[in-house]
Amino acid sequence: MTTEKETGSSEDITVVQINNDTNDASTERENYKISYWKLYNYATKKDWILMIFGLICAVIAGIIVPLMTVVFGRLIDYLYQFQTKQISKDVFLNKANYFTTFFVYFAIIAFITNYFYMACWIATGERITRRIREQYLRAVLRQDIAYFDKLGAGEVTTRITNDTNLIQDGISEKVSMAFTFLVQFFASFTIAFIINWKMTLVIFVEFPLIMLNGGIFNRLIVNYKLKVLDYYSKSSTIAEESISTIRTTVAFSQQKNVSKLYDSKLEDAKSSGVKSNTFNSLSMGTNDFILNSMYALTFWFGATQVINGETTTGKVVSVFFSVLIGSYSIGQIMPDVMAINSAKGAGTKIYETIERIPPINIESEEGDKLDNVKGRIQLKNLSFFYPSRPETKTLKNISLDIEPGTTVALVGSSGSGKSTIVSLVLRFYDPIEGEILFDDHAIKGLNLKWLRRQMSLVGQEPVLFNTTIAKNVAHGLIGSIYENIDENKKHEMIVQACTMANAHDFIMELTDKYETNVGEGGFLLSGGQKQRIAIARAIIKDPKVLLLDEATSALDTKSESVVQDALDKASKDRTTIVIAHRLSTIRNATKIVVMNNGEIIEVGNHDELIQNPEGAYSKLVSAQKIHEEESKSKDFEEEDSIIIEKDCTLTRVITNRSSKSGIDEYNDTEKGYNTEYNRYSTWELIRKINKINSSQRYLLFIGIAASLICGMTFPVFSIIYAKVINSFTKPKDELRKDSTFWSLMFLAIGFVVMTCSYIEGLCLGLAGENLVLRIRSTLFSSILRQDISFFDKEDNNVGGLISVLTSNVTDIGGLASALGSISRILATIIVGIIVALIIGWKLTLVVLTTVPILMVAGYFKFKMMAGFKSRTLKIYEKSAQIACDGASNIRTVASLTREEDLLKIYSNMLDGPMKEGLHNAIFGSLIYAAASSINFLGNALAFWYGIHLFANGEYDLYKFYAVFTAVLYGAMSSGRIFSFAPNITKAKISAESIVKLIENVPEIDSWSQSGKNIDDIKGHIKFSNVYFRYPTRQNVPVLNGLNLNIEPGQFAALVGPSGCGKSTTIGLIERFYDVMSGTIQLDGVCISTLNVNNLRKNISVVSQEPSLYDMTIKENILFGCKTDQKPTQEDIERVCKEANIHDFIINLQDGYDTPVGNKGTQLSGGQKQRIAIARALIRNPKILLLDEATSALDSESEKVVQAALDQAAKGRTTLAIAHRLSTIQHADIIFVIKDGKVAEEGTHQELLTKKGIYYNMVQDQYLGKMN
């Protein structure tokens, strides 16, 4: 991980490197290899029967092509005999007609066999890939939590979309097609061996060269393809982190820096991709030269045998065409082999996860299940460090006995190990020393799923799933005896739990009540509402153990009082572990455990501990007490802050979308960018995509030119073939001379083809890699460009957007890589027709009558594939979101034991694509079979008509064979071009979604240079009659005529009940949205007229749920820098001291270079929040926005940090939202918000004097009153 300065043309940009190192895991994966056959691990007996039947059909389909050479050879002999007057015209025509009918038989056989091998393998490919997707998600969800400390959700999304698509490509129809070509190859040489074994044996001398060439280069190609996949998965992790925390990215104007980080991984992938393509081009070019030298050797040796009287002309021609078809098959098999190699490479990563058995395995059936659970928990000599931070001990030899039915509270400073104990009790990790006993049984010996189902967890940052309120609460019943009870009884339990959690009243006020969909991650609810639903979910199953980690931190005072009573009642007769910073919530606990630095320093109940005025607990209590009036004010402010938190969450879309889960249900009420595509024409899409890669046009031009030359060599071959065959009718001396000349011509053309293949592979490979890089880069930048309302839309979830970045771009890249093959085929067809028309127009025109039929078949194939792709695209994007959210929210999933539930939902979502895939296999294969059959019928027509032209003296041997072979090559190639229909279809559909997103210009555009710039912002903020509703919730008014006036340098505070619009106010100041009516002014200027980047660079925000990135601590702090800022190490340490985090950092082994883990998982909530405060202070903003900035801090830290924030507020305008009213009692002005407008305003003392809403809130929150 590095921090570096990249200097652009106009500005210096601080670039931070996201930590994507996987350390030892990376090494393990590099050493993990699989065989290709492992990809079929999940094939059933039915699949194997279908595949074997398909291969039998493929064998037959492969044999009939070289069988044509036998018929061809017999006809050659009759042609020769007729030309030399050895047989009459009638005999000749009878024989010719007889052998021509074989082509018709071949056509019928080809139709049947091609249909079945294609249909069988497409169907089994769909079925097996589905199982691989399901098994991969199952494997991901069963991993222990330590695994996710290093695995990003973006990587999971990439694997389950892009990599499984690669696997499907390599185990479906391309396998059967490759097998067909392989059979063609062996059948061709078998037939050749039977006809003339000497000649065939001489030719086989060159095959070791082909094998050696393929063996060496294939290994190199696969290795580099693996590296490409690795870099793309890392880039997806960067994308997932930045999109899931888009509000933080946008607030600090870091879109450009994040894009640079993303691009750096793309550059690495491009480098490996170019090397892979280089080796591929070398392999194909060398292979082409070897094949052409084989033609030369075949002709020269055959001619020698004819001269020596060892064979006939017909046999030489049969062997020659057998070699031709065999070598052609080798050429055609190469793209399929590449797909198979790519599948193997992708499968390596997928199966590494599937076969990883975690040390803590939720799927294991091992372990005891106790019959009579009491709920006693004992910690014995427990020591622990996080696997990713082994140098820092989190717990140090602690012992604790929690009696059944008692409530034990854990208190202490942030990072002291409180939440770690909860994680160990749930067995998210195992301790390094000591043990945990549950009812006198070591939890390691208990069944893990059973153990977790005895407990319920409520976290500080609750995760809800994208389904109804009722179903979210019902998730708490998973694994309990109530899971499958009658729906009416279940609903009664849901209502009862919500009533206990003080959620029933607000639910009943919603339009759809309990059937209200909460949105992705619950973003349609406030923080307090989410937390109450999470509490209801926890208590509904009447668990034996209740784990409350800051369970009421997001509640306003009144809600907290009611919910706390409910929790107190719920705690009766059950074991409860409570973590709380607000000591009023735990004063009635049976036992209070005070922790510091991983050790227990005090144990006792409230009355016992408070007796020691010098004790740690007494100091914590004192820190939360002030004079009665101040206390009321403080506590009111705390209460208000709580309300604010709730409000903030209620009225906003949560920034950290990774903590949201759109797992359960997806409705279509709110559509994203890709729901309805603008119907771009194919040509328009090509033009737009080409524009993205305009700088690479010269490479594209050279590469396509080289491809066209390669393709044109086949029609040139047809002329040479005709000359070769014609040479056999000449005297022996001329035959000797011609054989030498034309053999050298084969070598010369081989050299040209080899050179052009090199050039084609290098140029198109480089252009293709650059295209993929530029599309990914441009697309990612365009995503980050969008305004916040874009991300509010349901379809624009993290998983869906990552899917577009990976699989959709891969589709276009796949077509780019196939461009060379398509160009070759088109050149072969077009030039072949031209050559044939020049040499013999009559025969050519007759054969061309089959072309319209082929084109119609191709068109229908394309349309069918387009419909299939468009119907499945959206479902795959949504299913990808399940995988993404399952990984992001693994702690919630694990605590609820929802793994099987998620798998069931995911599996059901794949039913649609599965049916579409089988439909495509059944009907799409008909068109492919028809196209293959038409080729044989075209050959029959060509041969029949050509024979009659020859018999009537209109064509000589040269004309006949030149036209016939030119048409033969064209027909073979036209059949191959239809195999690219899926590639073309996928690319077109994907290009539509990509182009639409790239061209989508948001209303609030961070790329725009327009708008006024204020050089010296003073910080005067004024809201005038502001009305606002969220774009995705137009029926819910949030602000209703809000008026605020905050003078420059003032410390203003917003308080009020949940949902009143406090956090919305902060979002509007950041201009995440525009108001519906009214104005927001900064220094007298309407902010909608300001340049949005100029506005945001003068603002810093600290939110309640701080978003950290998988970087080092230092890099996370630098993330808050302005674009032109160059902070020193002293500056970084200064803001960390102000945020009370410096001492903690320097005690870490790597200090400021310590990685914080994915989403900051290696730090406690308080530590994360202090780093977020340091990040906000580093840019020395003119306006400081504090949305619950100290909510996750313990009392001591809060005092220090609050003092720092008070100091930081001097000389700048500060707007604070806080639960703990003590943090805002000294504010210059306090606004009490209710129903989207100001209900009261004034200083703390003025509002107390009014004895209105504020006064009542202070009374409710007064800590002394509770004591």
Side-chain angles (χ1 to χ4, degrees):
M1 264 112 20
T2 58
T3 303
E4 58 186 2
K5 299 285 184 180
E6 294 192 8
T7 305
S9 56
S10 60
E11 60 183 356
D12 291 333
I13 298 170
T14 303
V15 179
V16 287
Q17 176 64 55
I18 287 182
N19 174 31
N20 287 297
D21 299 330
T22 53
N23 303 328
D24 297 337
S26 176
T27 305
E28 288 175 16
R29 285 208 295 263
E30 285 177 8
N31 295 331
Y32 184 86
K33 302 289 183 184
I34 65 168
S35 68
Y36 171 72
W37 301 110
K38 198 172 190 66
L39 298 179
Y40 296 94
N41 267 15
Y42 298 105
T44 63
K45 184 178 180 181
K46 180 180 178 181
D47 293 327
W48 280 112
I49 291 172
L50 285 173
M51 287 189 290
I52 291 170
F53 177 69
L55 290 181
I56 292 171
C57 292
V59 168
I60 299 170
I63 289 174
I64 59 176
V65 176
L67 276 178
M68 284 198 310
T69 63
V70 177
V71 178
F72 203 52
R74 295 297 299 275
L75 285 168
I76 289 292
D77 284 333
Y78 287 119
L79 281 166
Y80 180 75
Q81 291 172 17
F82 176 69
Q83 192 173 23
T84 55
K85 310 298 184 184
Q86 296 179 33
I87 58 175
S88 66
K89 181 179 179 180
D90 290 339
V91 173
F92 170 64
L93 288 176
N94 286 334
K95 292 291 184 183
N97 289 337
Y98 170 74
F99 283 107
T100 301
T101 56
F102 278 93
F103 287 103
V104 179
Y105 302 147
F106 290 154
I108 295 169
I109 296 170
F111 179 84
I112 296 170
T113 55
N114 278 276
Y115 171 76
F116 280 111
Y117 87 63
M118 185 63 72
C120 288
W121 278 81
I122 290 177
T124 55
E126 285 283 349
R127 287 159 57 90
I128 296 169
T129 307
R130 173 187 177 150
R131 293 188 202 106
I132 290 174
R133 288 190 175 108
E134 291 172 345
Q135 290 300 322
Y136 176 70
L137 182 58
R138 176 183 294 277
V140 167
L141 294 178
R142 77 160 176 252
Q143 300 305 319
D144 53 341
I145 302 300
Y147 182 79
F148 293 91
D149 293 342
K150 297 176 181 178
L151 179 76
E155 180 174 341
V156 173
T157 309
T158 300
R159 299 286 181 222
I160 210 164
T161 53
N162 187 57
D163 289 13
T164 53
N165 286 340
L166 290 174
I167 291 174
Q168 182 169 353
D169 204 34
I171 64 171
S172 299
E173 72 275 8
K174 283 186 168 58
V175 178
S176 55
M177 291 171 69
F179 191 74
T180 301
F181 287 122
L182 193 65
V183 170
Q184 279 184 20
F185 169 76
F186 284 111
S188 297
F189 279 93
T190 302
I191 290 168
F193 195 85
I194 293 170
I195 294 171
N196 190 328
W197 67 270
K198 282 186 180 180
M199 192 173 170
T200 308
L201 205 58
V202 169
I203 296 166
F204 255 100
V205 171
E206 298 210 23
F207 272 91
L209 296 176
I210 294 177
M211 297 298 107
L212 186 65
N213 173 65
I216 293 172
F217 285 113
N218 276 348
R219 182 177 292 273
L220 293 169
I221 291 166
V222 169
N223 286 340
Y224 280 109
K225 280 190 176 294
L226 282 174
K227 290 184 179 180
V228 170
L229 293 176
D230 249 354
Y231 287 126
Y232 279 150
S233 69
K234 290 177 181 178
S235 69
S236 294
T237 297
I238 295 172
E240 188 274 334
E241 281 204 324
S242 53
I243 296 172
S244 65
T245 57
I246 190 64
R247 286 173 177 262
T248 302
T249 305
V250 169
F252 288 105
S253 300
Q254 289 292 332
Q255 296 99 317
K256 186 177 290 186
N257 279 348
V258 172
S259 291
K260 283 182 176 289
L261 289 172
Y262 184 75
D263 290 350
S264 68
K265 296 302 175 189
L266 297 185
E267 286 288 349
D268 292 335
K270 171 194 160 186
S271 176
S272 295
V274 167
K275 290 174 183 175
S276 175
N277 281 304
T278 300
F279 287 123
N280 187 55
S281 65
L282 290 173
S283 174
M284 293 186 69
T286 305
N287 196 59
D288 285 336
F289 180 77
I290 295 171
L291 292 176
N292 277 277
S293 65
M294 191 184 296
Y295 302 153
L297 181 60
T298 304
F299 177 46
W300 179 84
F301 188 77
T304 301
Q305 282 199 310
V306 170
I307 291 169
N308 295 335
E310 297 180 47
T311 190
T312 64
T313 300
K315 288 183 177 180
V316 171
V317 171
S318 289
V319 172
F320 186 83
F321 271 94
S322 292
V323 173
L324 175 67
I325 290 172
S327 59
Y328 179 83
S329 301
I330 288 293
Q332 294 302 301
I333 208 174
M334 291 307 290
D336 299 327
V337 170
M338 286 179 60
I340 290 169
N341 284 336
S342 295
K344 181 184 174 185
T348 299
K349 300 297 181 182
I350 296 287
Y351 275 85
E352 188 273 336
T353 302
I354 289 176
E355 296 193 345
R356 182 184 187 272
I357 304 300
I360 304 173
N361 186 6
I362 189 68
E363 285 193 338
S364 174
E365 295 298 325
E366 296 178 359
D368 298 328
K369 299 178 182 179
L370 308 182
D371 294 327
N372 184 22
V373 177
K374 296 177 181 177
R376 183 181 186 184
I377 299 173
Q378 295 167 281
L379 313 182
K380 292 191 173 182
N381 305 317
L382 216 59
S383 293
F384 177 74
F385 58 72
Y386 285 97
S388 55
R389 224 169 52 209
E391 74 283 353
T392 305
K393 263 196 176 182
T394 311
L395 297 178
K396 303 172 183 176
N397 195 33
I398 69 167
S399 295
L400 181 63
D401 192 352
I402 303 173
E403 296 291 338
T406 62
T407 298
V408 173
L410 305 178
V411 301
S413 59
S414 299
S416 59
K418 304 183 298 297
S419 295
T420 300
I421 289 177
V422 170
S423 294
L424 292 175
V425 169
L426 280 166
R427 212 180 161 209
F428 286 164
Y429 304 90
D430 280 334
I432 56 169
E433 294 176 4
E435 62 178 351
I436 301 175
L437 301 182
F438 185 69
D439 283 358
D440 300 320
H441 292 75
I443 64 171
K444 284 186 178 181
L446 298 176
N447 180 269
L448 181 58
K449 188 176 290 186
W450 176 88
L451 174 69
R452 288 178 180 170
R453 286 177 173 176
Q454 307 310 305
M455 306 177 185
S456 283
L457 169 69
V458 182
Q460 184 180 3
E461 300 174 10
V463 173
L464 298 185
F465 301 103
N466 189 11
T467 186
T468 63
I469 291 173
K471 288 184 178 178
N472 265 291
V473 177
H475 288 153
L477 294 174
I478 291 175
S480 73
I481 59 175
Y482 309 109
E483 182 177 6
N484 298 310
I485 62 172
D486 177 73
E487 288 299 319
N488 291 329
K489 292 182 180 179
K490 184 181 288 187
H491 186 73
E492 290 177 5
M493 292 183 67
I494 291 169
V495 172
Q496 183 181 1
C498 289
T499 303
M500 287 183 66
N502 195 28
H504 178 71
D505 291 343
F506 91 78
I507 292 172
M508 297 306 292
E509 292 174 2
L510 299 172
T511 305
D512 296 322
K513 299 180 173 55
Y514 280 89
E515 296 305 311
T516 301
N517 194 293
V518 302
E520 185 186 354
F523 79 90
L524 296 178
L525 304 177
S526 74
Q529 290 166 341
K530 284 200 305 177
Q531 205 156 34
R532 278 177 275 174
I533 290 173
I535 291 169
R537 180 176 65 189
I539 63 178
I540 188 172
K541 69 178 178 183
D542 191 27
K544 294 296 182 180
V545 178
L546 194 58
L547 306 172
L548 307 175
D549 188 353
E550 292 283 359
T552 60
S553 63
L555 304 184
D556 57 77
T557 306
K558 290 183 179 178
S559 289
E560 182 186 34
S561 177
V562 176
V563 172
Q564 192 60 50
D565 285 342
L567 289 176
D568 289 344
K569 292 175 183 176
S571 299
K572 287 182 180 178
D573 302 322
R574 82 177 84 238
T575 306
T576 306
I577 300 177
V578 183
I579 297 174
H581 284 145
R582 286 162 45 199
L583 304 182
S584 59
T585 64
I586 51 97
R587 67 180 306 274
N588 295 324
T590 312
K591 186 187 297 182
I592 296 173
V593 179
V594 185
M595 299 186 66
N596 183 49
N597 195 27
E599 297 176 326
I600 296 175
I601 55 176
E602 278 187 341
V603 179
N605 60 36
H606 172 78
D607 293 333
E608 292 169 352
L609 294 176
I610 205 71
Q611 298 301 317
N612 180 9
E614 299 301 318
Y617 181 75
S618 292
K619 290 180 179 178
L620 289 173
V621 172
S622 298
Q624 289 189 14
K625 286 184 178 180
I626 51 176
H627 296 299
E628 178 177 349
E629 188 175 278
E630 288 182 330
S631 170
K632 293 176 184 178
S633 169
K634 281 188 195 178
D635 296 329
F636 164 65
E637 294 170 289
E638 291 182 27
E639 151 64 0
D640 180 39
S641 122
I642 297 170
I643 299 173
I644 292 166
E645 172 185 18
K646 289 179 62 177
D647 174 47
C648 171
T649 314
L650 172 64
T651 59
R652 70 181 180 193
V653 177
I654 298 181
T655 298
N656 187 354
R657 298 177 71 93
S658 70
S659 68
K660 305 172 180 177
S661 181
I663 287 178
D664 284 320
E665 297 174 353
Y666 293 83
N667 58 54
D668 295 323
T669 55
E670 295 168 3
K671 295 299 182 183
Y673 70 94
N674 51 5
T675 301
E676 293 181 4
Y677 300 122
N678 293 334
R679 302 313 301 177
Y680 297 103
S681 67
T682 303
W683 174 249
E684 192 176 4
L685 287 173
I686 292 172
R687 182 177 59 80
K688 290 177 182 294
I689 294 296
N690 186 49
K691 187 177 180 182
I692 295 174
N693 208 29
S694 57
S695 62
Q696 305 296 308
R697 285 175 185 167
Y698 72 97
L699 284 175
L700 205 60
F701 177 79
I702 295 171
I704 291 176
S707 300
L708 293 174
I709 292 172
C710 288
M712 285 189 287
T713 55
F714 288 110
V716 173
F717 279 159
S718 66
I719 298 173
I720 298 176
Y721 297 153
K723 291 289 186 183
V724 165
I725 293 170
N726 199 48
S727 297
F728 285 108
T729 63
K730 296 180 180 180
K732 292 183 178 181
D733 290 342
E734 289 188 43
L735 178 57
R736 171 67 68 190
K737 182 180 176 183
D738 283 356
S739 67
T740 303
F741 174 77
W742 293 116
S743 295
L744 291 173
M745 283 297 293
F746 277 125
L747 289 175
I749 292 175
F751 180 77
V752 171
V753 173
M754 178 178 69
T755 305
C756 289
S757 290
Y758 288 164
I759 295 171
E760 173 197 338
L762 289 171
C763 293
L764 292 183
L766 187 57
E769 290 297 330
N770 276 316
L771 174 64
V772 170
L773 184 148
R774 289 170 186 271
I775 291 177
R776 284 184 190 263
S777 177
T778 304
L779 181 58
F780 183 59
S781 297
S782 297
I783 290 172
L784 295 184
R785 176 191 189 183
Q786 303 306 311
D787 54 24
I788 300 300
S789 62
F790 170 86
F791 300 95
D792 290 351
K793 296 174 182 176
E794 184 182 350
D795 280 2
N796 297 336
N797 54 57
V798 182
L801 293 173
I802 298 297
S803 178
V804 174
L805 275 169
T806 53
S807 59
N808 285 28
V809 178
T810 300
D811 289 340
I812 296 178
L815 182 61
S817 64
L819 200 58
S821 298
I822 294 172
S823 299
R824 284 191 184 208
I825 292 169
L826 291 175
T828 299
I829 295 171
I830 295 169
V831 177
I833 291 171
I834 293 170
V835 168
L837 284 170
I838 293 172
I839 296 173
W841 63 271
K842 280 188 177 182
L843 179 57
T844 306
L845 288 178
V846 170
V847 176
L848 285 180
T849 57
T850 62
V851 172
I853 303 174
L854 286 171
M855 293 300 104
V856 169
Y859 173 77
F860 280 111
K861 174 75 171 176
F862 179 83
K863 291 294 289 182
M864 184 174 290
M865 287 302 300
F868 169 66
K869 175 66 177 178
S870 62
R871 287 190 295 272
T872 58
L873 177 66
K874 178 63 62 182
I875 300 174
Y876 276 132
E877 284 180 6
K878 288 179 177 178
S879 64
Q881 180 65 17
I882 291 179
C884 181
D885 288 341
S888 297
N889 306 311
I890 190 63
R891 289 170 185 265
T892 302
V893 172
S895 65
L896 292 171
T897 62
R898 276 205 69 201
E899 294 87 356
E900 289 296 329
D901 187 38
L902 295 186
L903 286 168
K904 182 179 178 182
I905 294 166
Y906 180 73
S907 180
N908 290 338
M909 291 192 70
L910 296 182
D911 286 343
M914 182 75 175
K915 290 177 182 176
E916 292 287 347
L918 295 178
H919 182 273
N920 175 55
I922 294 169
F923 296 102
S925 301
L926 283 171
I927 299 171
Y928 178 82
S932 303
S933 179
I934 291 168
N935 287 335
F936 284 98
L937 294 175
N939 288 335
L941 180 62
F943 217 102
W944 177 83
Y945 187 62
I947 289 293
H948 282 77
L949 290 173
F950 181 81
N952 293 331
E954 294 184 51
Y955 278 21
D956 58 15
L957 204 58
Y958 164 71
K959 265 190 176 184
F960 173 73
Y961 279 106
V963 173
F964 182 77
T965 50
V967 171
L968 176 65
Y969 266 121
M972 291 171 72
S973 298
S974 65
R976 181 65 181 174
I977 202 168
F978 291 124
S979 68
F980 291 103
N983 302 72
I984 296 169
T985 303
K986 289 178 183 178
K988 183 177 185 295
I989 299 295
S990 296
E992 286 179 342
S993 62
I994 288 170
V995 168
K996 181 168 185 186
L997 203 158
I998 289 175
E999 293 187 346
N1000 186 45
V1001 179
E1003 292 183 11
I1004 304 172
D1005 188 4
S1006 61
W1007 286 10
S1008 174
Q1009 299 299 316
S1010 62
K1012 300 175 184 176
N1013 289 324
I1014 302 179
D1015 296 327
D1016 184 21
I1017 288 181
K1018 296 188 172 49
H1020 181 201
I1021 301 172
K1022 185 175 182 181
F1023 280 61
S1024 301
N1025 200 30
V1026 171
Y1027 286 82
F1028 177 74
R1029 299 183 181 200
Y1030 283 99
T1032 55
R1033 287 174 282 154
Q1034 292 289 343
N1035 60 330
V1036 182
V1038 181
L1039 298 182
N1040 300 298
L1042 181 68
N1043 291 285
L1044 298 175
N1045 188 34
I1046 305 171
E1047 297 294 337
Q1050 268 194 334
F1051 183 167
L1054 300 181
V1055 300
S1058 297
C1060 66
K1062 303 180 299 298
S1063 293
T1064 299
T1065 304
I1066 283 182
L1068 293 176
I1069 293 173
E1070 284 273 9
R1071 208 181 163 210
F1072 288 160
Y1073 307 90
D1074 280 333
V1075 299
M1076 295 179 66
S1077 66
T1079 60
I1080 301 174
Q1081 294 180 323
L1082 178 62
D1083 291 353
V1085 181
C1086 181
I1087 64 170
S1088 62
T1089 65
L1090 295 176
N1091 178 272
V1092 68
N1093 290 317
N1094 176 256
L1095 169 70
R1096 289 172 181 163
K1097 81 173 185 178
N1098 292 286
I1099 302 173
S1100 271
V1101 63
V1102 181
S1103 61
Q1104 181 190 5
E1105 299 175 8
S1107 302
L1108 299 187
Y1109 298 85
D1110 194 3
M1111 317 175 191
T1112 64
I1113 292 173
K1114 178 180 179 180
E1115 289 163 345
N1116 267 289
I1117 295 168
L1118 290 174
F1119 197 82
C1121 291
K1122 299 177 184 177
T1123 54
D1124 57 352
Q1125 189 176 350
K1126 298 180 180 179
T1128 63
Q1129 181 64 27
E1130 288 74 21
D1131 293 328
I1132 296 171
E1133 291 181 8
R1134 174 180 52 80
V1135 295
C1136 286
K1137 288 175 182 176
E1138 291 177 2
N1140 194 29
I1141 191 68
H1142 175 72
D1143 292 341
F1144 163 75
I1145 295 172
I1146 60 174
N1147 285 325
L1148 297 172
Q1149 183 175 338
D1150 295 324
Y1152 280 87
D1153 293 323
T1154 302
V1156 303
N1158 186 29
K1159 307 289 192 306
T1161 52
Q1162 300 306 304
L1163 303 175
S1164 71
Q1167 291 161 352
K1168 286 198 293 183
Q1169 204 155 28
R1170 281 178 280 170
I1171 290 174
I1173 291 169
R1175 177 176 64 190
L1177 296 177
I1178 192 73
R1179 62 168 40 193
N1180 191 26
K1182 295 295 180 69
I1183 299 172
L1184 187 60
L1185 305 176
L1186 307 174
D1187 187 355
E1188 294 288 356
T1190 61
S1191 63
L1193 302 185
D1194 58 87
S1195 300
E1196 290 296 330
S1197 290
E1198 183 185 28
K1199 284 174 62 179
V1200 177
V1201 173
Q1202 191 59 48
L1205 290 176
D1206 292 343
Q1207 183 65 30
K1210 293 180 180 178
R1212 60 170 59 95
T1213 304
T1214 303
L1215 180 60
I1217 296 173
H1219 264 167
R1220 299 174 184 170
L1221 302 182
S1222 57
T1223 63
I1224 58 156
Q1225 65 172 328
H1226 299 300
D1228 297 313
I1229 186 167
I1230 299 171
F1231 297 97
V1232 182
I1233 312 294
K1234 185 178 181 182
D1235 298 329
K1237 61 179 71 173
V1238 176
E1240 294 178 359
E1241 64 177 279
T1243 64
H1244 170 66
Q1245 293 296 338
E1246 290 169 352
L1247 291 174
L1248 286 179
T1249 303
K1250 291 181 181 180
K1251 295 195 174 181
I1253 300 173
Y1254 183 80
Y1255 176 84
N1256 290 330
M1257 293 174 74
V1258 172
Q1259 291 295 329
D1260 288 336
Q1261 204 179 72
Y1262 177 38
L1263 182 62
K1265 177 180 176 181
M1266 296 186 70
N1267 287 334

